[in-house]
Amino acid sequence: MALFVTCLADVFRPSVAFASLALLKAAGCRVSVPRAQTCCGQPGYNSGDYRGAGDVARRVIAMFESADYVVAPSGSCAGMIVKHYPRLLEGEWKERAQALASRTFEITAFLTDVMPLPAGDRTPDTALTNRKVAYHDSCAGLRELNIREQPRALLRERAGVQALELEKRDVCCGFGGTFCAKMPEISATMASEKLRDTIDSGADMLVGGDLGCLLSLAGRASREGIDLEFRHVVELIHDHRSGQGIGAGPANGAGRQ
Amino acid sequence: MKQTSATFLQNAHDAMLQPERSMNRQRLGTLMPQLRDSGVASFGDFDALRAHVSEVRTHTLDHLDHYLDSYVKQATQNGNEVHFARDGDELNRLVSDICQRHEARQVVKGKSMVTEETALNDHLIAEGYQVTETDLGEYILQEAGETPSHIVGPALHKPEAEIRELFLDRHDLGDRELGDAAALVAEARGLLRQRFLDADVGIIGANALIADSGYSVLVTNEGNGDLCANLPPVLIVCTTLERLLPRFADATDLLRLLARSATGQPISCYSTLYSGPRRDGEEDGPLETHIILLDNRRTDILASDYRDMLHCVRCGACLNHCPVYVAAGGHAYGWVYPGPMGSILTPLLTSLDESHDLPNACTACGRCEEVCPANIALPDLLRDLRHEELLAQLSPRRWRMGMRAHAWLLTTPGLYRRLTALAVRSLTWLARGRGSLARLPFAKGWSAARDFPAPESANTFMHQYNSLRKSRHGR
């Protein structure tokens, strides 16, 4: 199978990609990381640049379609490939997009529904036992890919964490890709609501499956002076002790396994 | 109604500065989805009904000529006069002509977004008629000189205290006190009752038009629509072509979707069928009835890729579930229809040029599509409008150039790799060990409201991964 690293993990959070690699290997996969990959093209697509996004999509399809499975540590990027590439492309490319879509998964869904991790090969991290962790459903994962229980089950079974639920768990956090740059004030209002909801849940850590949401929320929390730790869900499932939370300072030898 | 969609961001900014109204919106943004969810959950197979109605409406629009013909024939046979209005001005003129013919002085109106669209009130008042909105929310707004912020609950933005202030200011109260919400309602009811009795002409809208009987259907929760329709001697129904449905049974299916989606009610308090004027021997009902079918670019929409928007039932669920609507409020959208449906309809019914921020007021979260009783792929249509915006070069030039450069960069991996490596090193250097940056010269939009989280490492994943592979192969 092939790992779709995602541009945000590549740049902001390599430990997410390293944790994904390790988890996929633990599940028994032979993982390749196509070297020429860049990004799924969603920012342009959502800004209405269908031509540019189409160029990116064709490139991704050609690069990844030889793999049995494509896995991304992001519901948003996986959703782009699964739901939007087939909508964007025509003719032969549409068929190739549909074929790739049927083999593309977000990582927690893949590790639950397709290639489950072997039971009992990891003891829950004791550093997490006293933490209160809430889970943030990203919209694309939730509504485009129906991801809801998978990350919670993995957190429970692999990290010994019973995720706290946010009252408005199906409401967007305000990231929205280019939206947060085009309409920063509205976006920040939405982020503040999500942070308030997180604090009200009693959590001291918010985990999620999409770095976009997490970076945006971490940035807003930092601006508001809110003390919360932000992590991608694979960091907890794999190894919580790799460095600090998102936006909390440099990691110590981040992610190297 | 003066359109201010062009200043959406400023409108939203102003709205978010009002703490009481903002908190009120957040409260409704939680409550309304809860009501809708419980209404839908108690129905059984809501999705099946939604799919069925969607098919019926697709069929009706595909054969609009046939059903329109049948409707007009039947409605005329029932004694109605049916008129067509190409645009808002034509509708307004038709209404004032009818009023003039009857030497009317007083007009009462039920809630009608179509007449908001044509700014009928302004027109009639300018012609010297006394016009009274009789839906409680609309009445409050008319007294306050405001416009609706929501298509179902037009005055949802107004806290109770503001409404009390308004009535104290505008009504001759004598010794009466307006202690609680019930007293406010009673106050408005008392005043409106006399207006119904005095009115020469009643104006209402329609939720459905039934082709095989020529009847129109209206739902209200206050019964004001029925009073407007039955007490004055003349009734005018102002509505649009896409409300057509083949049979009565189709309309009842639609009403089940509509009420649950709007307020979670299994059925609205009043659902009324209007056939036409009073018949010989009948004791009540209007003596003369008119139906005005407004086009106002709807036939253009029918012929366009946005045709599905004509399935919209005006339930307001997409507004209630949209976090941008909840944050910014309905007035920010600057015209009649706010929220996701409004961000599509406003450019289509006015101009994209005047409203090109609206299709961007969307995080593509998909919640509106999930709850839309008409199964409209709202996020896709909003994205398509952004595509049109790009083709028409309406977005800022730096955005367009940036987007083109981005797409090119994503298909040029060697350069992409070098630039991301450089960016990561620069950001890490700028952060100097802090977790995030307060300001970034090239990301003003972001850093206006958030700090910028620094990368966790001075090297990209790809760089680290390649170095690891090389060192392993070297061994």
Side-chain angles (χ1 to χ4, degrees):
Chain A
M1 53 101 9
L3 178 69
F4 191 89
V5 173
T6 78
C7 57
L8 291 178
D10 182 36
V11 168
F12 288 98
R13 202 77 181 158
S15 55
V16 168
F18 279 113
S20 302
L21 269 180
L23 286 168
L24 291 167
K25 282 180 186 160
C29 298
R30 219 178 63 215
V31 190
S32 70
V33 182
R35 250 16 105 70
Q37 64 177 294
T38 54
C39 157
C40 66
Q42 191 174 179
Y45 175 69
N46 271 338
S47 296
D49 180 12
Y50 291 172
R51 204 183 66 185
D55 292 343
V56 177
R58 279 187 288 273
R59 213 179 144 267
V60 170
I61 292 167
M63 196 184 316
F64 281 86
E65 65 188 345
S66 62
D68 292 335
Y69 295 107
V70 177
V71 176
S74 156
S76 176
C77 310
M80 178 70 192
I81 298 173
V82 171
K83 293 284 174 193
H84 298 287
Y85 281 6
R87 183 177 185 266
L88 186 58
L89 300 172
E90 302 283 345
E92 179 220 345
W93 279 104
K94 192 187 206 70
E95 286 168 27
R96 289 168 73 176
Q98 281 161 342
L100 186 69
S102 68
R103 291 180 277 121
T104 300
F105 294 89
E106 184 270 351
I107 191 159
T108 63
F110 186 77
L111 292 174
T112 313
D113 306 336
V114 184
M115 290 280 284
L117 286 165
D121 73 333
R122 173 159 141 58
T123 45
D125 194 328
T126 49
L128 284 172
T129 43
N130 292 323
R131 300 299 301 271
K132 294 195 172 60
V133 180
Y135 190 79
H136 166 60
D137 293 287
S138 73
C139 296
L142 184 65
R143 279 181 273 268
E144 291 180 350
L145 305 174
N146 279 320
I147 294 165
R148 178 154 253 183
E149 296 314 318
Q150 297 95 322
R152 293 175 169 84
L154 286 172
L155 281 172
R156 203 163 48 236
E157 289 155 19
R158 313 294 303 181
V161 167
Q162 179 66 46
L164 300 169
E165 296 298 341
L166 305 186
E167 189 196 351
K168 292 188 256 184
R169 69 180 200 173
D170 57 349
V171 178
C172 176
C173 68
F175 170 61
T178 50
F179 172 82
C180 72
K182 284 182 185 163
M183 304 197 168
E185 207 180 346
I186 300 172
S187 171
T189 301
M190 290 161 68
S192 295
E193 279 300 313
K194 185 61 72 181
L195 293 172
R196 197 193 326 271
D197 203 1
T198 307
I199 292 164
D200 288 348
S201 77
D204 54 25
M205 188 194 300
L206 187 66
V207 300
D210 269 279
L211 279 172
C213 311
L214 294 167
L215 287 161
S216 146
L217 288 169
R220 183 64 189 165
S222 167
R223 179 63 56 95
E224 284 198 65
I226 291 172
D227 187 22
L228 274 172
E229 187 172 337
F230 298 88
R231 287 188 181 274
H232 192 285
V233 61
V234 296
E235 298 177 42
L236 269 68
I237 299 168
H238 176 58
D239 181 3
H240 173 239
R241 283 155 296 192
S242 57
Q244 305 196 49
I246 292 165
N252 309 318
R256 300 257 181 133
Q257 301 303 314
Chain B
M1 175 174 177
K2 194 178 170 295
Q3 187 177 358
T4 59
S5 311
T7 51
F8 172 77
L9 288 176
Q10 184 61 45
N11 304 346
H13 170 82
D14 295 343
M16 288 186 292
L17 283 181
Q18 300 176 313
E20 194 179 356
R21 287 189 174 193
S22 295
M23 270 166 58
N24 194 36
R25 285 199 299 274
Q26 293 294 343
R27 189 179 60 77
L28 290 166
T30 308
L31 175 68
M32 297 308 289
Q34 283 169 353
L35 292 175
R36 182 260 172 202
D37 286 350
S38 65
V40 167
S42 68
F43 180 74
D45 202 344
F46 192 78
D47 287 342
L49 182 65
R50 163 156 86 166
H52 168 71
V53 171
S54 178
E55 260 177 57
V56 170
R57 300 200 78 196
T58 302
H59 165 86
T60 314
L61 290 174
D62 284 349
H63 303 90
L64 193 61
D65 52 344
H66 167 76
Y67 289 111
L68 188 59
D69 195 45
S70 163
Y71 172 78
V72 172
K73 251 185 220 145
Q74 294 298 328
T76 310
Q77 220 165 55
N78 299 340
N80 299 285
E81 223 178 292
V82 182
H83 313 259
F84 289 88
R86 195 167 306 136
D87 55 25
D89 287 345
E90 229 173 273
L91 180 138
N92 293 348
R93 263 201 310 277
L94 281 164
V95 172
S96 55
D97 286 352
I98 295 167
C99 291
Q100 201 180 8
R101 220 165 44 234
H102 290 272
E103 295 177 356
R105 302 183 60 81
Q106 304 200 27
V107 177
V108 284
K109 278 185 72 209
K111 199 172 89 58
S112 151
M113 296 314 286
V114 166
T115 60
E116 292 285 343
E117 196 177 313
T118 69
L120 176 62
N121 287 9
D122 294 346
H123 174 80
L124 290 178
I125 290 166
E127 303 254 303
Y129 299 99
Q130 185 201 52
V131 182
T132 306
E133 291 285 355
T134 63
D135 170 271
L136 177 60
E138 291 279 1
Y139 173 71
I140 291 166
L141 296 185
Q142 192 184 19
E143 288 298 297
E146 293 181 30
T147 55
S149 61
H150 190 288
I151 59 172
V152 173
L156 280 177
H157 62 279
K158 281 187 92 67
E160 194 183 313
E162 272 186 41
I163 298 166
R164 183 169 298 109
E165 276 307 303
L166 179 75
F167 283 6
L168 289 172
D169 184 42
R170 306 273 303 178
H171 285 192
D172 183 12
L173 286 169
D175 292 336
R176 279 169 292 152
E177 281 178 25
L178 300 176
D180 56 2
L184 291 170
V185 174
E187 173 61 25
R189 178 184 282 137
L191 182 134
L192 289 172
R193 194 51 54 110
Q194 196 55 47
R195 298 280 171 93
F196 285 123
L197 293 168
D198 294 344
D200 306 303
V201 174
I203 298 175
I204 59 171
N207 295 96
L209 302 172
I210 300 168
D212 71 358
S213 63
Y215 291 2
S216 64
V217 181
L218 180 72
V219 296
T220 68
N221 275 330
E222 298 170 21
N224 61 312
D226 294 335
L227 295 172
C228 285
N230 287 309
L231 292 180
V234 179
L235 167 67
I236 307 173
V237 178
C238 296
T239 184
T240 51
L241 303 163
E242 78 273 22
R243 298 289 141 229
L244 268 170
L245 284 168
R247 301 156 306 177
F248 178 60
D250 303 319
T252 57
D253 284 342
L254 180 100
L255 296 190
R256 301 170 107 174
L257 292 179
L258 173 64
R260 284 181 165 81
S261 301
T263 56
Q265 291 167 285
I267 187 166
S268 306
C269 296
Y270 300 87
S271 304
T272 309
L273 285 160
Y274 300 100
S275 56
R278 186 189 303 188
R279 275 172 259 184
D280 289 342
E282 288 179 342
E283 288 183 0
D284 49 23
L287 299 168
E288 186 179 311
T289 57
H290 298 264
I291 293 146
I292 306 180
L293 296 171
L294 173 71
D295 184 341
N296 204 22
R297 300 198 187 181
R298 282 166 176 81
T299 44
D300 294 343
I301 298 177
L302 185 66
S304 77
D305 294 336
Y306 300 95
R307 181 181 193 149
D308 285 354
M309 259 332 274
L310 297 179
H311 289 219
C312 174
V313 302
R314 308 289 193 268
C315 68
C318 64
L319 283 58
N320 299 334
H321 288 76
C322 176
V324 177
Y325 173 86
V326 170
H331 288 141
Y333 294 78
W335 199 53
V336 179
Y337 303 105
M341 56 82 81
S343 297
I344 298 166
L345 277 180
T346 305
L348 296 178
L349 296 178
T350 64
S351 84
L352 186 57
D353 208 10
E354 280 296 303
S355 58
H356 64 81
D357 272 341
L358 301 191
N360 290 286
C362 166
T363 64
C365 80
R367 208 168 167 223
C368 53
E369 180 178 3
E370 190 175 57
V371 298
C372 174
N375 266 346
I376 304 171
L378 297 154
D380 287 343
L381 297 184
L382 286 163
R383 196 185 301 105
D384 288 347
L385 282 169
R386 299 198 283 275
H387 176 60
E388 279 193 32
E389 210 175 286
L390 188 76
L391 296 180
Q393 309 201 335
L394 293 173
S395 40
R397 192 180 140 81
R398 61 188 169 85
W399 266 107
R400 282 180 279 123
M401 300 309 284
M403 220 143 48
R404 193 180 303 167
H406 186 243
W408 177 74
L409 194 61
L410 294 185
T411 51
T412 318
L415 183 63
Y416 177 87
R417 207 60 72 216
R418 280 198 293 280
L419 281 179
T420 49
L422 180 68
V424 167
R425 268 197 296 277
S426 315
L427 285 170
T428 316
W429 178 79
L430 280 169
R432 293 186 186 85
R434 286 164 304 179
S436 44
L437 298 109
R439 226 172 325 204
L440 270 185
F442 53 88
K444 274 199 197 110
W446 176 290
S447 54
R450 303 175 157 81
D451 292 344
F452 197 89
E456 69 175 350
S457 152
N459 291 304
T460 63
F461 167 77
M462 280 303 192
H463 181 90
Q464 296 181 39
Y465 182 74
N466 287 337
S467 314
L468 277 174
R469 299 278 293 195
K470 263 185 220 148
S471 67
R472 259 180 224 157
H473 285 293
R475 254 181 272 155

